Amino acid sequence: MRKEKVLLLGASGSMGFAAFQELWSRKNDNGERKYDIVLLLRPSKKNKKIFRKYLKSSGIISCKDRRIREDLRNSFKIVWGDATIYDDVVQAIRGVDWVLCTMAIIPPEADRHPAQAKAVNTTAIENIVRAIEAEPNGAENIRLVYTGTVAATGDRLPPIQRGRVGDPLKPSIFDFYATTKVRGEWAVLESNIKRWVSLRQTFIMIPDILRTEDPIMFHQPINSYMENNTMRDAGRGLVNCLDVPDDSDFWRRVYNMAGGPSCRVVFLDFMKIAYELLGMDYKNIMERKWFALRNFHMQFFDDSALLNEYIHNWGDSMDDYWDMVKSALPRSLKVVATLNKISPTFRKFAEKTARKRLDALARHPDGTLGWYEAHNEMRMSAFYGSYERFESIPDWDEDMPEMRHDAPFEQLNHGYDETKTELELNDLQDAAAFRGGECMSLSWSGDLYETLGWRCAFDHAFAAKPYTIIKAGHWCPQCLPPPWNYDEIATKNPFFAQVWYPNHDSSESYYYPEDCYKDVVS
């Protein structure tokens, strides 16, 4: 019986490598690998080192094209190439049954190098779609599993801390990662591929907790509601998509992917536990005003259970994750943690050292203190609202924001009657009007994947499928940042205003140009 061939993109990343290990470990009854595996990887030293043992164990030989390595049975193949180059993608996709795409340039690199982020997160996805459609019967037979991002919906602080697919997309200001990922998802949703799915992945927690220490940590408000995922659950869930039958209603839909209620935590509690593992009190090593008041992302998902019904991706809890962190701590840090817990003198020294390190991160050009000291008007307005709001932030435990897991929340209106099983043209017209625009098509078959004409409040005409607009939260691609002019958009688009005015004043009128990232790039 012919084995299915799976192309995995982004196999050297956190989620991608976890997915690769899951793929590699799956066996048939006869002990052979269940799937033929194809990887498209940049020929970097890092990637070659990671996959050297897998090449060796497969007895890889060279083909005529020396950029390709595959075993004699064609069960494992690596194309050393670049997904931003169409011909390399064609080479990798040839003959596959599945494409699993975890590939991305993520923050902070994406936000400091937006051209590179666009190449990988948008252009490469367009290449993948194009190559699938170019294969003989590719659009009909090749299944595409794309990983989107929670960052697409941007800042979701109380009272809108819980969200679902279909809510407005709102990449946060300066978040070039999110804007490029939204465009990548658009390419998938608007394709002719018959079986695609987009999994909007949440924050994937890595056991090496200190790797998260970067100036970007201070971009996140302390009251951010987070429904996270572990690497192994993310990778296993992705591979579990291979078990979904072709006739399932799983396909041609967007899902929020996270670990469920057991993986929910508020950011301040996340930091508190992380530093407690090291025997430290976060209040002694960081100041509250170092953390932004708005303009990040993350939320609790009201609908992550829906994806779990199909791919059974829920597994680890926050407690499981903290056990992973403890196990991953290097011996030196375990010793430090022990000394911190038994010696107040040593703890005071360790906290002083940690504070000095974190203070330096906060004063980085892309750190919040760095913005304040450099009088960076754009960053301060985007993340704090004003200098005055920054300066008025009290100390820890004073006038703390809402952080209860069961706090009241507002469910967003999607602009049409969601209880209807079959929609009509007037439903699309109502949804478009709620977005400040109109549905230009005069007739509609009722097919959510039929391309129709639309117009936004700024008189931009565009074509899109109803699913993309009313079910997935997309709207005018020309209005999608950069540049960011959300204050003006919110005055004309009630749908978008729902996610803007909870923490922005109607009197604000800011504009952030396409090259705004250069303010912190040396």
Side-chain angles (χ1 to χ4, degrees):
M1 182 177 177
R2 175 183 173 274
K3 290 194 292 184
E4 289 191 310
K5 183 173 289 189
V6 180
L7 168 61
L8 175 62
L9 296 136
S12 59
S14 297
M15 180 180 181
F17 190 63
F20 171 75
Q21 290 177 307
E22 181 72 22
L23 268 177
W24 190 267
S25 68
R26 294 202 176 185
K27 309 289 185 183
N28 287 322
D29 293 339
N30 60 9
E32 293 183 350
R33 279 200 304 274
K34 186 175 181 180
Y35 301 101
D36 291 339
I37 302 171
V38 181
L39 307 180
L40 173 57
L41 292 165
R42 290 183 302 105
S44 65
K45 290 182 179 179
K46 171 197 167 188
N47 287 346
K48 289 184 176 182
K49 181 178 180 181
I50 291 172
F51 292 97
R52 183 179 298 140
K53 71 175 184 179
Y54 299 100
L55 289 166
K56 185 176 180 180
S57 68
S58 297
I60 294 294
I61 63 171
S62 298
C63 293
K64 290 181 180 179
D65 182 349
R66 297 188 61 81
R67 294 187 305 117
I68 299 175
R69 299 290 184 268
E70 60 185 329
D71 64 12
L72 290 171
R73 293 173 298 174
N74 199 32
S75 65
F76 182 46
K77 174 180 175 180
I78 294 183
V79 177
W80 296 111
D82 188 334
T84 67
I85 300 173
Y86 178 67
D87 288 345
D88 288 353
V89 176
V90 169
Q91 187 70 252
I93 281 180
R94 187 167 295 147
V96 306
D97 302 288
W98 292 81
V99 177
L100 307 182
C101 183
T102 69
M103 172 184 61
I105 298 290
I106 64 174
E109 287 77 13
D111 302 331
R112 296 166 189 168
H113 306 283
Q116 185 179 358
K118 180 182 178 182
V120 175
N121 300 345
T122 303
T123 303
I125 305 306
E126 293 169 345
N127 286 343
I128 292 164
V129 169
R130 178 182 163 200
I132 289 175
E133 293 178 344
E135 277 284 285
N137 299 314
E140 189 71 33
N141 297 326
I142 299 175
R143 300 81 140 191
L144 171 60
V145 181
Y146 170 78
T147 51
T149 175
V150 63
T153 46
D155 186 334
R156 293 295 298 268
L157 298 174
I160 55 169
Q161 71 272 23
R162 298 172 73 111
R164 57 199 175 109
V165 172
D167 287 350
L169 302 190
K170 185 197 63 177
S172 290
I173 301 160
F174 299 102
D175 193 345
F176 288 88
Y177 164 70
T179 66
T180 55
K181 288 290 287 182
V182 168
R183 287 186 168 87
E185 184 179 84
W186 176 281
V188 173
L189 272 58
E190 289 297 303
S191 73
N192 295 316
I193 298 169
K194 300 302 181 185
R195 294 180 185 85
W196 58 261
V197 67
S198 178
L199 312 180
R200 289 182 184 162
Q201 182 61 259
T202 185
F203 170 57
I204 297 178
M205 302 179 292
I206 57 176
D208 184 2
I209 192 70
L210 292 184
R211 274 179 56 191
T212 62
E213 285 194 351
D214 181 273
I216 199 173
M217 68 184 285
F218 299 116
H219 298 188
Q220 184 165 358
I222 60 173
N223 59 330
S224 299
Y225 283 64
M226 308 165 67
E227 185 176 326
N228 302 326
N229 215 345
T230 61
M231 286 194 303
R232 65 187 180 191
D233 276 357
R236 179 175 50 80
L238 182 72
V239 175
N240 283 352
C241 292
L242 303 178
D243 299 326
V244 178
D246 286 350
D247 60 356
S248 171
D249 63 358
F250 169 76
W251 299 107
R252 293 204 294 180
R253 294 171 72 179
V254 176
Y255 299 88
N256 283 322
M257 187 176 191
S262 71
C263 279
R264 290 176 177 172
V265 66
V266 174
F267 184 46
L268 182 61
D269 292 332
F270 184 86
M271 289 193 299
K272 177 177 181 290
I273 296 171
Y275 287 106
E276 280 179 349
L277 290 178
L278 299 176
M280 299 182 192
D281 185 342
Y282 71 92
K283 298 175 187 176
N284 296 332
I285 60 178
M286 296 179 286
E287 292 186 22
R288 182 175 163 187
K289 64 176 57 178
W290 294 358
F291 293 89
L293 296 179
R294 64 187 192 185
N295 197 53
F296 197 67
H297 52 264
M298 296 302 295
Q299 59 189 285
F300 284 177
F301 291 136
D302 268 348
D303 57 359
S304 60
L306 180 59
L307 178 63
N308 184 60
E309 292 175 7
Y310 290 101
I311 64 172
H312 314 294
N313 56 299
W314 288 2
D316 295 322
S317 66
M318 288 304 303
D319 288 340
D320 294 323
Y321 169 67
W322 293 123
D323 287 341
M324 295 178 204
V325 172
K326 292 175 190 175
S327 298
L329 282 176
R331 187 173 182 276
S332 58
L333 283 182
K334 290 179 180 178
V335 171
V336 168
T338 300
L339 291 173
N340 282 340
K341 293 171 184 177
I342 63 176
S343 171
T345 302
F346 186 87
R347 173 175 172 169
K348 185 176 181 179
F349 169 77
E351 288 180 336
K352 182 178 179 180
T353 302
R355 183 183 177 92
K356 183 177 180 180
R357 182 180 71 252
L358 294 171
D359 181 83
L361 289 178
R363 294 180 191 278
H364 183 276
D366 196 19
T368 51
L369 279 182
W371 305 335
Y372 177 75
E373 293 171 347
H375 301 285
N376 189 322
E377 297 280 353
M378 288 196 299
R379 300 278 172 164
M380 293 301 292
S381 65
F383 286 89
Y384 288 94
S386 67
Y387 287 95
E388 291 73 24
R389 289 183 184 176
F390 171 88
E391 292 167 346
S392 66
I393 295 173
D395 203 352
W396 298 112
D397 297 331
E398 295 180 37
D399 193 23
M400 295 293 281
E402 177 63 79
M403 289 186 285
R404 294 172 296 162
H405 281 216
D406 61 351
F409 68 97
E410 298 174 5
Q411 187 176 77
L412 302 185
N413 182 358
H414 290 178
Y416 67 98
D417 185 353
E418 296 181 63
T419 65
K420 294 177 67 173
T421 55
E422 294 186 6
L423 300 180
E424 301 171 85
L425 181 60
N426 67 287
D427 295 303
L428 304 187
Q429 293 168 337
D430 289 345
F434 189 54
R435 288 152 177 77
E438 56 184 318
C439 178
M440 302 296 292
S441 297
L442 300 179
S443 62
W444 178 46
S445 67
D447 181 1
L448 286 172
Y449 305 96
E450 174 189 351
T451 300
L452 302 180
W454 310 81
R455 189 181 301 276
C456 77
F458 295 86
D459 206 31
H460 303 142
F462 59 98
K465 299 171 182 178
Y467 182 90
T468 303
I469 302 302
I470 67 170
K471 297 293 187 179
H474 289 262
W475 186 228
C476 174
Q478 194 169 336
C479 289
L480 180 67
W484 283 264
N485 65 327
Y486 285 160
D487 287 317
E488 184 179 9
I489 289 174
T491 65
K492 299 182 178 184
N493 183 338
F495 178 62
F496 182 82
Q498 296 177 105
V499 294
W500 191 246
Y501 288 134
N503 58 13
H504 292 81
D505 193 273
S506 60
S507 64
E508 293 183 38
S509 183
Y510 294 107
Y511 177 86
Y512 303 86
E514 188 167 357
D515 64 351
C516 58
Y517 71 96
K518 293 181 179 179
D519 61 347
V520 296
V521 177
S522 57

